[in-house]
Amino acid sequence: MSLNSAFALSDTAHYTQQRYTDENGLPQNTVRAIAPDKAGFLWLATEDGLVRFDGGSRFRHFNKSDLGISSSGVSYIYANAAHSKLFAVTDGRQVIGIDNGNAGLLSDTIAAAALFGRPLKNASQRAYMITGLPDLRMNHTVIKRCLLPVKPHAAFLITSDSVYYQEGQRPLYGLSFPHNNFQRFFVLGGQLYYMMPSGQIQGFYREEVKAMTLTGDILQHAARNGARAMALYWNPAAEEVFIYLEQACYILERLPDGRLNTRLVVRDVDFERNQIISVYYDAVHARVFLGSLSNGLYVFTRRQFSVAGSGSVADSGSYTWDKDQQALCKFNSRGRLLRKWKCRASISDISHMQLETPDRLWVGTDNGLYCLELSSGRIDTVRGLEGVPIRSVSISFPGRVWITTYDDGIFLYRNNRLTAFPLDRQKCLLSSHYIIEDNRGYCWIATNKGLFQAAQGDLLAYADKRQRYIYYYRYAKERGFQGNEFNGSCQPYTLQRDSSNISLPSLDGLVCFSPAKVTPELPGKAMFIDQASLNGKPVAYRDTLLLPHAFQQLKLHVSVPYFGDPYNLQLTYTLSEGEEDTLWLPLGSDHSLSFSTLASGSHRLRIRMINGFGKNNYTEKVVLFMVRQAYYETTWFHLLIALMLVAGTALYTRLRTYRIQQQKQALESKVFARTGQLESALASLTLSEKKLRRQARIQERLIASITHDIKTPMKYLMMLSANMSWKENEQPAPEMMARSAKAIYDASYRMYYLIENLIRYIKTHVKNGSAVMEEIDLQELVEEKIDIFNSIAAAQSTTIINKVQPDLPCYTNFQLLAVVIHNLLDNAVKNTRDGTIEVYASVYGGKITIYIEDSGTGLPPELLDWIRRHDAGNSKQEEAVSPVQSGMGLVIVMELLDMVNGRLIAENKPYAGARIGIELDAN
């Protein structure tokens, strides 16, 4: 950082100097006020908004667009009367509240109540409130009354000739005090003071004014009693008062006994030339912040270090040890060579030697570390350091050997075990020159990139595996070195004048310091996440952030108020989904974190800041990310998918079942069609079989009929004709001729009607057994048949009587019924002699029954049983004829009745004869 030439004076060499302008962090170069908050941040009032300074080059700007204020210019910063909170007032008289590293606009009511309370509101409206010195606004304002707040509801009210102390609106006391400059009043420790033009300071004690005695550094200033006027700088927000005198700035401190002490904080700085208008001093770190009217912010940090070879070593016996190429030489106090050890070929280029005990010498080389037992000449190699170039060996007491190397870091050899220590984050410790232990429990490690400090307890705990990390604090040239590179090729490598002062060689001279007076500027324990943005848009930060699924970018900014070397601020983070820690990664130099497309669910972000030395000495911030589930990860979606799968499975099953059913139906149709075809074929075959059987049966019956009913009569006619022809020379008697003629007639008659019935029977079967139904005259049909058999019956002394009433309804086939009646009458005539045959009919229940009743021999029992079984459907008529093999007439009757839906009823009368009935449909 470049400084104004007025700062390039002699004493500025005791400070590290930095300057910030609008080119490297500030929004504008006017710094009207500087105030620290409780979190450790530094707040700057500028003409372009309120600025938070985190240290290093980290600034955060709050202006009109961020706060919604009417004017970005900030006039001053003040603390409430209890000094618990900070407030900033804009040029537009709006009040900004500052809390936990953040800023926000307050309403007028809240701002007034937070400042001094309502009882002072009226008084403050009538008086000008001084908020710090110098107050540039007073140069352009006519001031008659001023108000200097002291505590809640209490303030000093100052006029041009009086001073009053009041609580609320009620004055408690007052006194006359004429003056001509309101900017010489200030409050320190609750006490009101006034600095006279001569530099004399007067204190107000109720109704008495006392001259104060100044002590301290200002008394050493050459111009203390000269004509040069002192300038007063008052920072009420920090409760600090400064006196500036001829390029020297002193802080004013109120001692317990009431005296005022002065302490030099910076000198050889021209406040007037650089237009310094605000001052803040960090006493803990000896750092001064100076705000300029037009030159930005200056930061001065007091340096803690000041800058003012033979590789032999002496033992406790006044002997000197030195190296000669690959030989180790022992000299007495006069320089005489007493003994020379020729080292093994691997021990060459000796870089360092260190006695641990009078009999043990450690020898570091470019190829490793060796331990030499002087009494026996035994040389042991330290395992683990073979081929490692050794820079130095440091032994604070026997049994603890600190080792530095070139390009391999630092080691500890203790209890016959070698421990390699972790490196710093920039790996500066790879090339370490030497390690020195001080009397305060710290180890100092010189490198080519600065001086490092580590707690001895941390190093030993790490070696014992009781600690997982080591905090290294680095001192760079800004703390007082001329350069960061220390000298590592000399022995001895340190000069300790006493137990509390150390001098280390560097390329620019000896670096001298007292460990007791060097205070490391460790990070505080305050760490904030004050900015968050999602997909480029700011969002409110909370410890739990709800994030949409598949967001593009989540960015978090971590703020830490730290004004030391940024190298010593160690921030790491890890992101895990469970309780197990993952890899810890360092934050970038801008202290921001960026994430994109996290998986749905909870993620735990852990941000850790190492606070300094010691085990588990860190501050941790935990942020929980709750990433919303994608629609395809939600329970309802899973249920929907499950439902769809079930529905799909059901639908597939149904479709599959339907298809199977369709296939089944198609197969069944094919089977049915095939079955139909087979059944048709079977029916056809059955029908053919029936026809064949019928034909066979007809043939059998024809044969039987011909054999029984035609063959026998024909044989009888043949014999009768033969008898008549053989006796042609004899003249037969007339009586004989009559009987023969009669016999021929009867036989021919019977044969004629038998043949006629057979022809009708055969015709019926030739027509496939079909019969045409018609309404017939039953009486006429019966009379016709009786006429046929009257002569035969008369020859047997039998009478046939027709008792059928005329006009009886009968609906059947005439031809078939004629055959049936003919056969039944024929049988009755055959079996009746000297008797009567009656034919009659009756109608009942839609049926007509035709009875043929005779007085003959009756029907055989076998025939009656056959007729009953046939009527019951139990006889196999197609396979057998009637049990009485006397003719085919009865079988033909049964078949013909089946064709006209008729049935045959037969029974024997009690005394003689039989009654046969033909039952037919009347309609």
Side-chain angles (χ1 to χ4, degrees):
M1 306 291 178
S2 61
L3 288 173
N4 189 290
S5 60
F7 287 171
L9 301 177
S10 60
D11 193 63
T12 56
H14 297 290
Y15 301 92
T16 298
Q17 308 166 14
Q18 291 175 296
R19 180 186 176 193
Y20 300 95
T21 66
D22 55 2
E23 295 180 356
N24 56 5
L26 288 178
Q28 191 268 339
N29 290 331
T30 298
V31 181
R32 294 172 171 174
I34 306 172
D37 65 7
K38 296 296 183 181
F41 295 106
L42 204 62
W43 294 87
L44 312 177
T46 74
E47 292 184 356
D48 191 21
L50 187 64
V51 177
R52 191 190 72 191
F53 183 31
D54 301 355
S57 298
R58 301 182 301 276
F59 294 88
R60 185 180 178 188
H61 187 201
F62 298 87
N63 59 10
K64 182 177 180 179
S65 60
D66 301 305
L67 301 174
I69 52 181
S70 60
S71 173
S72 293
V74 178
S75 300
Y76 54 90
I77 302 173
Y78 60 86
N80 61 351
H83 286 276
S84 59
K85 292 185 178 180
L86 289 181
F87 301 90
V89 177
T90 69
D91 293 345
R93 310 306 297 167
Q94 292 175 292
V95 180
I96 301 170
I98 299 172
D99 187 27
N100 283 331
N102 217 329
L105 181 63
L106 301 179
S107 66
D108 295 339
T109 303
I110 296 176
L115 184 54
F116 303 114
R118 294 184 182 277
L120 286 176
K121 183 176 180 181
N122 293 335
S124 65
Q125 288 177 347
R126 296 191 299 268
Y128 182 88
M129 187 172 68
I130 299 178
T131 57
L133 296 177
D135 191 337
L136 302 182
R137 297 174 301 155
M138 298 180 71
N139 298 330
H140 309 284
T141 307
V142 177
I143 304 299
K144 295 183 178 180
R145 299 158 58 92
C146 285
L147 192 70
L148 279 74
V150 179
K151 59 182 180 179
H153 313 299
F156 288 100
L157 182 62
I158 303 171
T159 66
S160 60
D161 57 2
S162 302
V163 174
Y164 301 93
Y165 177 76
Q166 65 180 42
E167 291 184 357
Q169 298 184 26
R170 182 171 60 88
L172 296 183
Y173 61 87
L175 71 161
S176 175
F177 187 78
H179 65 90
N180 60 3
N181 193 343
F182 284 100
Q183 295 201 56
R184 290 186 175 273
F185 287 94
F186 64 92
V187 175
L188 183 62
Q191 184 68 46
L192 179 65
Y193 296 96
Y194 180 81
M195 188 172 71
M196 305 293 289
S198 62
Q200 176 68 44
I201 297 178
Q202 294 181 321
F204 294 83
Y205 294 87
R206 294 187 69 85
E207 298 180 358
E208 181 181 4
V209 179
K210 296 181 180 179
M212 306 304 298
T213 301
L214 290 179
T215 62
D217 295 342
I218 199 170
L219 299 179
Q220 307 300 321
H221 199 286
R224 167 71 178 83
N225 297 317
R228 185 73 174 178
M230 297 181 184
L232 189 63
Y233 289 83
W234 177 34
N235 189 339
E239 296 186 275
E240 292 179 340
V241 178
F242 302 90
I243 296 175
Y244 173 74
L245 178 62
E246 286 193 353
Q247 300 185 5
C249 181
Y250 302 86
I251 187 170
L252 196 61
E253 301 170 328
R254 188 170 184 265
L255 300 178
D257 59 4
R259 293 182 301 164
L260 297 178
N261 182 60
T262 58
R263 182 157 53 96
L264 179 66
V265 294
V266 66
R267 66 180 179 181
D268 298 326
V269 179
D270 193 336
F271 279 27
E272 295 176 356
R273 183 173 179 179
N274 290 278
Q275 298 177 301
I276 303 301
I277 57 175
S278 56
V279 182
Y280 166 66
Y281 179 61
D282 180 3
V284 175
H285 303 107
R287 182 176 289 114
V288 181
F289 298 87
L290 304 178
S292 172
L293 183 63
S294 60
N295 295 322
L297 176 69
Y298 297 99
V299 181
F300 293 88
T301 304
R302 182 170 289 277
R303 295 179 174 177
Q304 296 176 303
F305 296 84
S306 61
V307 180
S310 179
S312 62
V313 60
D315 62 16
S316 59
S318 300
Y319 296 106
T320 302
W321 299 83
D322 207 343
K323 60 183 178 180
D324 180 16
Q325 296 181 354
Q326 293 186 1
L328 180 65
C329 303
K330 179 180 181 180
F331 300 90
N332 61 13
S333 58
R334 295 183 180 181
R336 181 182 176 184
L337 178 64
L338 300 179
R339 187 177 176 181
K340 190 173 185 177
W341 284 269
K342 186 69 174 179
C343 299
R344 67 185 70 167
S346 59
I347 303 179
S348 60
D349 297 326
I350 297 175
S351 58
H352 198 90
M353 293 181 293
Q354 181 71 40
L355 279 172
E356 180 181 2
T357 65
D359 192 46
R360 178 177 293 180
L361 177 67
W362 291 85
V363 179
T365 73
D366 289 345
N367 294 306
L369 180 64
Y370 304 90
C371 181
L372 174 63
E373 189 176 288
L374 300 180
S375 59
S376 63
R378 176 183 173 183
I379 299 176
D380 293 326
T381 301
V382 177
R383 301 297 179 185
L385 293 176
E386 297 89 342
V388 177
I390 306 299
R391 299 286 280 179
S392 70
V393 178
S394 175
I395 305 174
S396 56
F397 59 87
R400 184 188 297 172
V401 181
W402 302 98
I403 306 161
T404 61
T405 66
Y406 190 82
D407 283 341
D408 287 281
I410 58 177
F411 298 84
L412 172 65
Y413 188 79
R414 186 178 60 149
N415 300 327
N416 296 321
R417 185 166 62 90
L418 184 69
T419 300
F421 292 106
L423 301 174
D424 61 300
R425 60 181 177 179
Q426 292 187 7
K427 300 182 180 181
C428 299
L429 293 174
L430 271 175
S431 297
S432 301
H433 297 308
Y434 39 82
I435 299 177
I436 304 169
E437 292 185 63
D438 63 15
N439 57 1
R440 300 177 66 246
Y442 293 98
C443 290
W444 299 83
I445 308 168
T447 71
N448 286 334
K449 297 181 180 180
L451 180 65
F452 286 81
Q453 181 183 9
Q456 184 184 107
D458 291 351
L459 295 171
L460 297 178
Y462 183 88
D464 294 336
K465 302 185 183 303
R466 293 182 287 107
Q467 189 165 320
R468 298 176 59 185
Y469 69 92
I470 298 174
Y471 179 74
Y472 298 105
Y473 186 89
R474 187 185 77 159
Y475 298 90
K477 65 180 182 179
E478 291 79 12
R479 303 301 295 271
F481 314 150
Q482 296 297 324
N484 287 330
E485 188 172 356
F486 283 77
N487 191 349
S489 60
C490 62
Q491 188 176 2
Y493 48 76
T494 180
L495 175 62
Q496 290 184 270
R497 292 170 290 178
D498 51 50
S499 60
S500 59
N501 290 282
I502 299 176
S503 296
L504 303 177
S506 72
L507 295 182
D508 298 297
L510 288 177
V511 176
C512 304
F513 66 98
S514 173
K517 296 180 180 180
V518 174
T519 303
E521 189 172 355
L522 300 174
K525 296 185 178 182
M527 180 172 58
F528 303 91
I529 300 177
D530 56 359
Q531 295 181 70
S533 63
L534 182 63
N535 297 333
K537 297 180 180 180
V539 294
Y541 167 75
R542 295 180 179 85
D543 290 337
T544 299
L545 292 177
L546 299 178
L547 303 175
H549 181 76
F551 62 90
Q552 295 179 356
Q553 184 189 51
L554 172 66
K555 191 171 185 179
L556 302 177
H557 185 269
V558 180
S559 296
V560 177
Y562 182 68
F563 298 91
D565 186 351
Y567 185 92
N568 296 317
L569 184 60
Q570 299 182 17
L571 296 171
T572 57
Y573 74 96
T574 183
L575 184 66
S576 61
E577 296 184 10
E579 295 297 327
E580 294 295 329
D581 290 346
T582 55
L583 178 65
W584 287 89
L585 301 173
L587 263 71
S589 58
D590 60 349
H591 295 178
S592 64
L593 290 169
S594 182
F595 303 96
S596 60
T597 58
L598 295 176
S600 60
S602 62
H603 303 266
R604 194 167 61 126
L605 173 65
R606 301 172 62 190
I607 305 173
R608 180 176 293 179
M609 177 180 68
I610 307 299
N611 297 326
F613 308 110
K615 182 179 180 181
N616 296 331
N617 184 13
Y618 56 80
T619 298
E620 187 170 282
K621 188 79 172 177
V622 179
V623 184
L624 186 63
F625 297 152
M626 300 296 295
V627 182
R628 297 184 186 276
Q629 292 179 324
Y631 70 91
Y632 52 82
E633 296 176 323
T634 57
T635 302
W636 65 264
F637 183 81
H638 292 165
L639 293 176
L640 180 61
I641 292 298
L643 182 62
M644 291 177 64
L645 289 176
V646 171
T649 303
L651 180 61
Y652 173 78
T653 304
R654 185 171 182 179
L655 292 176
R656 181 66 177 169
T657 304
Y658 176 76
R659 183 178 179 184
I660 293 174
Q661 290 177 347
Q662 291 292 100
Q663 293 176 346
K664 179 182 177 183
Q665 291 177 358
L667 181 60
E668 288 178 349
S669 299
K670 291 181 180 180
V671 171
F672 181 77
R674 186 62 178 168
T675 303
Q677 293 175 356
L678 293 176
E679 289 178 350
S680 177
L682 182 61
S684 178
L685 291 175
T686 303
L687 182 61
S688 299
E689 183 183 9
K690 287 183 179 180
K691 289 181 179 180
L692 291 175
R693 289 190 179 212
R694 187 184 300 115
Q695 291 175 0
R697 188 167 61 251
I698 292 171
Q699 292 174 359
E700 290 176 358
R701 290 170 183 172
L702 287 175
I703 293 172
S705 179
I706 292 170
T707 300
H708 182 269
D709 295 330
I710 298 178
K711 181 179 178 181
T712 300
M714 287 294 294
K715 182 178 179 181
Y716 175 74
L717 289 175
M718 183 181 68
M719 292 175 62
L720 182 61
S721 299
N723 289 332
M724 293 178 66
S725 62
W726 293 335
K727 297 178 179 181
E728 60 181 7
N729 297 322
E730 297 180 5
Q731 185 67 28
E735 184 180 354
M736 183 68 178
M737 289 292 291
R739 284 198 300 268
S740 297
K742 181 69 170 60
I744 291 171
Y745 173 78
D746 289 341
S748 300
Y749 177 83
R750 291 181 180 277
M751 287 177 58
Y752 171 77
Y753 283 102
L754 178 61
I755 292 171
E756 183 180 2
N757 289 338
L758 288 174
I759 292 172
R760 290 181 179 179
Y761 175 74
I762 291 171
K763 285 181 178 181
T764 301
H765 282 283
V766 168
K767 294 179 180 180
N768 295 325
S770 60
V772 178
M773 311 301 284
E774 58 183 337
E775 186 176 354
I776 65 174
D777 188 346
L778 182 60
Q779 185 187 36
E780 182 179 352
L781 175 61
V782 171
E783 189 65 30
E784 178 182 336
K785 295 300 178 181
I786 290 174
D787 289 341
I788 295 173
F789 290 100
N790 270 332
S791 59
I792 299 174
Q796 298 179 168
S797 300
T798 301
T799 302
I800 301 174
I801 302 172
N802 183 7
K803 293 184 177 182
V804 177
Q805 298 177 358
D807 301 327
L808 280 176
C810 184
Y811 191 80
T812 184
N813 185 274
F814 180 83
Q815 297 295 334
L816 297 182
L817 183 59
V819 173
V820 170
I821 293 175
H822 180 95
N823 279 279
L824 293 178
L825 281 175
D826 185 25
N827 289 332
V829 170
K830 286 180 182 179
N831 294 290
T832 304
R833 290 183 181 275
D834 299 323
T836 303
I837 299 173
E838 294 181 352
V839 181
Y840 59 92
S842 66
V843 178
Y844 180 78
K847 298 288 185 178
I848 182 171
T849 305
I850 305 169
Y851 293 100
I852 300 175
E853 184 177 328
D854 64 63
S855 58
T857 60
L859 297 174
E862 297 84 356
L863 184 59
L864 284 174
D865 183 64
W866 181 80
I867 292 172
R868 292 191 184 104
R869 284 189 288 109
H870 183 279
D871 185 57
N874 295 325
S875 62
K876 297 183 179 179
Q877 297 297 331
E878 295 183 357
E879 297 179 1
V881 297
S882 64
V884 182
Q885 301 293 329
S886 59
M888 288 295 296
L890 191 58
V891 175
I892 294 172
V893 167
M894 301 297 274
E895 285 191 3
L896 294 178
L897 284 177
D898 288 339
M899 295 175 65
V900 294
N901 297 323
R903 58 187 290 253
L904 188 66
I905 303 171
E907 64 178 352
N908 285 326
K909 296 194 304 183
Y911 301 105
R915 182 169 54 233
I916 297 177
I918 304 169
E919 186 180 89
L920 300 171
D921 292 332
N923 299 312

